[in-house]
Amino acid sequence: MSETHTNADAAGGTAESLRTPIVAVLGHVDHGKTTLLDKIRGSAVTDGEAGAITQHIGATAVPLETVSELAGSLVDPDDFDLPGLLFIDTPGHHSFSTLRSRGGALADIAILVVDVNDGFQPQTIEALDILRRTETPFVVAANKIDTVPGWNPQSDVPIQESYDAQSDRARATLDENLYELIGELSDHDFSADMYWRVQNFANNVGVVPTSAETGEGVPDVLTVLMGLSQRYLKDAMAIDVDGPGAGTVLEVKDQKGFGTAIDVVLYDGTVRSDDTIVVGASGDPIVTDVRALLQPRPLAEIRTESRFEQVDAVSAAAGLKIAAPELDSAMAGAPVRVVRDQPREEVVAAVEEELAAIGVTTQEEGVVVKADTLGSLEAVADALEEAEIPIVRAEVGAVAPRDVTVASTADEEKHETVLAFSVDVLDNAADLAEESGVRIFESDVIYRLVEEYDEFVTERERSQQ
Ligand code: GDP
């Protein structure tokens, strides 16, 4: 099923349609990303009479009718012609780091979740850097307002009304935190204000006080996302829905009965069960024939049956699982393209070009970098470049013995380090590192990897003096 409004002309010409904007949820760990997504999904399930939600692989589609039901007077469906919003389910690094500015984008728009009490934290700053680099429009959810002392939640009213109805003391406490947040945004070159005061969202970031726990402010977040999408993304959402599918790999994993499969967010065209696809990989792009397209079954149908059903075709924007031979070396964050109207060499070349654009420059000597997705690899590489730390090898995937070998060989400057971002270290790699004196630094926070490496170098220099 697609969330597209199709205007195929009667003569059978191309089916121009507007696709659903794809939304990523970003922010520091524990600030409430998962709870917010659950709230959006949960309220859409209970309140959404008209369209409710559709569960995808790795994503949840909330149709416009449901957004407008949730948002009440805030959203009049007649004012919008985009079909709704598609939320990427895996919040945090995994999704934000695969936001991309070149080639196809994984997400078109984002929610940056910030705990109002905790303020800016390392992953908040990393998320902002990526939003800036990818020029992705976003809204800030200033979350956990229910924990403000004296806060008295109001149900079913816009957050501005709730804010106005609070005691002076509660509002003063929240204001203090909100202004600090707005100040932090401004320190990072984003002019921001409370969303109901923002006139021009192109130049100002809207801040929405929210409680992912009680749901206050959540409809307002959806409203701002719809408004931003309608105003700034509409042209980019026009796709030829019958064209060859294009998407981004979210995850590569084994699917019982099907072998290796990729979870994909499709942002253009259609993929069919008899298509040939090209997938970005750690080596040459993979060219393979689709074995099966899988989507989740409706909740009611899941008994002992598989959670997935095979479908004949899926159209953008959507999340799906593609099973096909030879997918083992596929990379999270890499492009997926259907071969249809174009010769396959051209599609392969296009995928190669997209991969090259996510460029990481390597040197003769330097540190080895491993990361969970292509996008995060690029983000780590950017941070290292800024810190003037050279990279000898950069790849997606767990830290394997050969990474340690590369890190240990012929390095005059003695970098001898593997930086592992959100990936496992294989046991035999850890053993080898121990034997060969190679350090492995692991973190889910980019700046900590850089910091740990810098500290190590400073320490070593000090001990050599
Ligand atoms: P994530 O790491 O950003 O996905 O954060 P989670 O959604 O897992 O939330 C971290 C913790 O904060 C959990 O214990 C949540 O229940 C809690 N939490 C999230 N949002 C709120 C909120 O709006 N109010 C309160 N009081 N707690 C929240």
Side-chain angles (χ1 to χ4, degrees):
M1 241 192 307
S2 76
E3 275 67 44
T4 45
H5 288 177
T6 306
N7 311 307
D9 76 49
T14 58
E16 268 287 310
S17 70
L18 290 172
R19 72 161 168 85
T20 320
I22 302 166
V23 189
V25 181
L26 331 176
H28 195 70
V29 62
D30 282 344
H31 281 197
K33 298 178 294 293
T34 311
T35 312
L36 181 66
L37 271 165
D38 285 348
K39 194 72 192 179
I40 292 169
R41 276 195 292 258
S43 32
V45 168
T46 47
D47 302 349
E49 294 269 311
I53 62 161
T54 323
Q55 194 68 35
H56 290 234
I57 304 278
T60 302
V62 183
L64 174 63
E65 298 77 36
T66 308
V67 172
S68 87
E69 265 176 53
L70 291 172
S73 59
L74 293 172
V75 171
D76 177 350
D78 292 342
D79 294 339
F80 298 91
D81 42 16
L82 291 172
L85 299 164
L86 185 75
F87 291 87
I88 305 270
D89 284 339
T90 31
H93 270 293
H94 195 81
S95 51
F96 92 63
S97 51
T98 44
L99 284 165
R100 297 225 309 273
S101 52
R102 295 175 286 263
L106 173 56
D108 305 298
I109 191 166
I111 306 173
L112 178 64
V113 180
V114 189
D115 179 334
V116 268
N117 310 299
D118 210 18
F120 265 49
Q121 294 299 328
Q123 287 166 309
T124 320
I125 296 166
E126 288 177 2
L128 265 186
D129 286 343
I130 288 168
L131 291 168
R132 181 190 296 111
R133 187 158 56 85
T134 55
E135 295 179 9
T136 305
F138 65 101
V139 53
V140 173
N143 194 35
K144 306 199 186 183
I145 55 169
D146 60 295
T147 60
V148 168
W151 188 265
N152 182 16
Q154 316 284 308
S155 56
D156 295 331
V157 299
I159 192 62
Q160 184 184 1
E161 264 178 55
S162 172
Y163 171 90
D164 287 339
Q166 302 299 320
S167 68
D168 288 346
R169 183 173 74 100
R171 205 171 37 244
T173 310
L174 179 62
D175 274 348
E176 200 176 309
N177 291 342
L178 286 174
Y179 283 111
E180 196 160 315
L181 191 65
I182 288 169
E184 298 256 29
L185 282 162
S186 145
D187 290 346
H188 288 87
D189 303 324
F190 287 99
S191 134
D193 206 344
M194 306 294 275
Y195 96 89
W196 55 81
R197 286 204 286 264
V198 173
Q199 299 290 332
N200 180 349
F201 280 92
N203 301 324
N204 290 282
V205 174
V207 176
V208 184
T210 60
S211 165
E213 201 77 34
T214 67
E216 267 200 292
V218 175
D220 307 68
V221 169
L222 298 178
T223 306
V224 178
L225 291 175
M226 270 323 291
L228 279 176
S229 304
Q230 182 71 26
R231 228 160 298 162
Y232 303 110
L233 296 175
K234 193 176 151 184
D235 291 346
M237 297 301 101
I239 60 165
D240 169 13
V241 73
D242 289 334
T248 308
V249 178
L250 271 183
E251 224 173 313
V252 186
K253 58 187 180 197
D254 213 53
Q255 180 59 38
K256 229 174 131 208
F258 290 97
T260 308
I262 48 178
D263 289 358
V264 171
V265 167
L266 198 69
Y267 57 77
D268 200 359
T270 293
V271 53
R272 301 189 190 122
S273 53
D274 58 355
D275 273 329
T276 297
I277 54 170
V278 179
V279 185
S282 44
D284 289 334
I286 302 160
V287 181
T288 184
D289 293 331
V290 173
R291 182 180 284 154
L293 302 179
L294 302 171
Q295 290 217 291
R297 286 176 196 279
L299 280 175
E301 286 180 21
I302 302 172
R303 299 277 188 266
T304 50
E305 289 259 356
S306 147
R307 290 171 48 225
F308 304 110
E309 66 183 335
Q310 288 197 39
V311 291
D312 290 337
V314 176
S315 298
L320 77 156
K321 195 183 273 293
I322 303 178
E326 322 275 342
L327 286 176
D328 291 321
S329 60
M331 279 192 296
V336 181
R337 301 278 195 97
V338 165
V339 181
R340 201 172 299 143
D341 315 329
Q342 259 176 309
R344 84 166 50 179
E345 308 79 64
E346 280 181 24
V347 181
V348 170
V351 166
E352 274 171 345
E353 206 171 295
E354 249 188 79
L355 284 172
I358 312 169
V360 173
T361 321
T362 54
Q363 318 276 332
E364 291 287 306
E365 297 196 347
V367 298
V368 172
V369 183
K370 299 299 293 257
D372 60 339
T373 74
L374 213 48
S376 51
L377 193 65
E378 186 181 32
V380 176
D382 281 354
L384 289 171
E385 191 182 337
E386 212 159 283
E388 294 180 7
I389 301 169
I391 301 169
V392 66
R393 169 199 188 89
E395 276 183 9
V396 171
V399 179
R402 61 197 168 104
D403 298 314
V404 176
T405 309
V406 170
S408 68
T409 33
D411 191 339
E412 303 246 321
E413 295 285 324
K414 301 226 168 298
H415 295 95
E416 293 170 357
T417 304
V418 179
L419 301 179
F421 179 77
S422 291
V423 289
D424 293 335
V425 177
L426 302 179
D427 285 346
N428 48 2
D431 294 345
L432 185 61
E434 182 89 36
E435 278 164 33
S436 54
V438 167
R439 291 157 304 275
I440 302 179
F441 294 129
E442 295 174 69
S443 183
D444 295 341
V445 183
I446 296 171
Y447 98 108
R448 279 206 195 113
L449 284 175
V450 177
E451 216 171 59
E452 280 193 60
Y453 181 76
D454 275 341
E455 271 167 26
F456 157 75
V457 171
T458 312
E459 194 57 38
R460 186 174 62 185
E461 279 168 2
R462 195 177 307 145
S463 69
Q464 282 170 349
Q465 277 164 9

